[in-house]
Amino acid sequence: WYRATVLRLDQGGSDRQYLLSFRDLTEAHRLERMRSDFIANASHELRTPLASLSGFIETLRGPARNDAVARDNFLEIMQKQAERMARLIDDLLSLSRIEMKAHIAVKDQVDLTTVLNHVVDTLRPLATHLDIEIERHIDPGPVMVLGDRDELTQVFQNLLENACKYGQSGKKVVVELKNNGEGIKATVQDFGPGIPEEHIPRLTERFYRVNIETSRAQKGTGLGLAIVKHILTRHRARLVVRSRVGEGSSFTVAFGPQKAKA
Ligand code: ADP
């Protein structure tokens, strides 16, 4: 898409001069499209649990009015739907907060070993509940990066939570931090079912889920990796995803060169 503008430069004489300028609208159109797709998806995701809640309310006021067993059953489902809406709204707010900060440079020195150890400790109960053992390969001693501590905590929390949710019960998940000649790299690896190759480039799109049923069952909103991508862009860090179906997946955050301490 281009927008063409024609400007007449001559003063009305016989030699006509025009200035023709083109503006590339492809990018603007793409962004506009993405914005409206996002709003449509978000509305759909919020409407689904809301529609289900309305349906149950109607049933509880009508046919199931005097059925105690159905009432308990329905109330439990309704609570889950309400929790799902709350999770969606929390994730949408996180995403919008991060987007607002996208152009503000990160400026704090953050120790990644502390962040990773904290995240492992926070998610250990979930892992234990799923019969997954979290193995740490984190050397003692600080590994400093320029960043925002809360945002980096959220990145590793989302990656480790996914590794547990989509990993395999009875198997381990490995959290590794490397700081060598190749730079600083933090990896979360699982030995779950893996992700078919064609899905990998789209994982960080908002609301993209490889398997909607599994993701829903795992209380997923489809926004976790979009949040990760936005935070990492602000940190000038890359997300490298490797996965093999039947073997597992690894998500590596690769930080750019860090300025030496003054
Ligand atoms: P969700 O909230 O659904 O977990 P994410 O954005 O965190 O959303 O992840 C997007 C999708 O990527 C998930 O729904 C899941 O299908 C897939 N996925 C993410 N991490 C893994 C993993 N470690 N193993 C297998 N699939 C994964």
Side-chain angles (χ1 to χ4, degrees), residues 111-127:
D111 175 18
L112 280 182
T113 59
T114 312
V115 169
L116 287 174
N117 282 319
H118 170 72
V119 168
V120 171
D121 292 340
T122 310
L123 288 177
R124 179 147 287 139
L126 171 73

Side-chain angles (χ1 to χ4, degrees), residues 91 158-159 161-167 188-190 192-195 202-212 214-216 218-228 243 248-251:
D91 279 358
N158 289 3
L159 294 180
E161 199 175 317
N162 279 352
C164 294
K165 285 190 315 190
Y166 304 113
V188 178
Q189 183 179 13
D190 68 67
I195 306 162
R202 302 196 59 191
L203 289 180
T204 57
E205 284 176 23
R206 297 162 196 196
F207 297 116
Y208 192 82
R209 281 164 291 198
V210 175
N211 180 331
I212 292 191
T214 321
S215 169
R216 284 244 162 89
Q218 295 297 347
K219 304 187 174 171
T221 60
L223 292 171
L225 290 176
I227 291 172
V228 166
S243 190
S249 316
S250 77
F251 289 74

Side-chain angles (χ1 to χ4, degrees), residues 32-95:
E32 188 46 46
R33 177 83 176 268
M34 270 173 64
R35 208 175 354 252
S36 64
D37 281 356
F38 172 61
I39 292 170
N41 282 333
S43 312
H44 174 76
E45 294 287 333
L46 287 168
R47 272 196 165 279
T48 309
L50 204 53
S52 148
L53 280 174
S54 298
F56 281 119
I57 291 170
E58 215 164 280
T59 315
L60 283 172
R61 298 178 75 182
R65 186 191 290 265
N66 298 316
D67 183 340
V69 177
R71 190 177 56 220
D72 285 351
N73 193 4
F74 290 170
L75 284 173
E76 200 181 319
I77 303 173
M78 288 167 78
Q79 184 164 8
K80 291 215 170 95
Q81 299 287 11
E83 286 166 3
R84 179 169 170 72
M85 280 190 80
R87 264 198 310 277
L88 267 163
I89 291 168
D90 283 349
D91 279 358
L92 285 168
L93 285 175
S94 282
L95 200 55

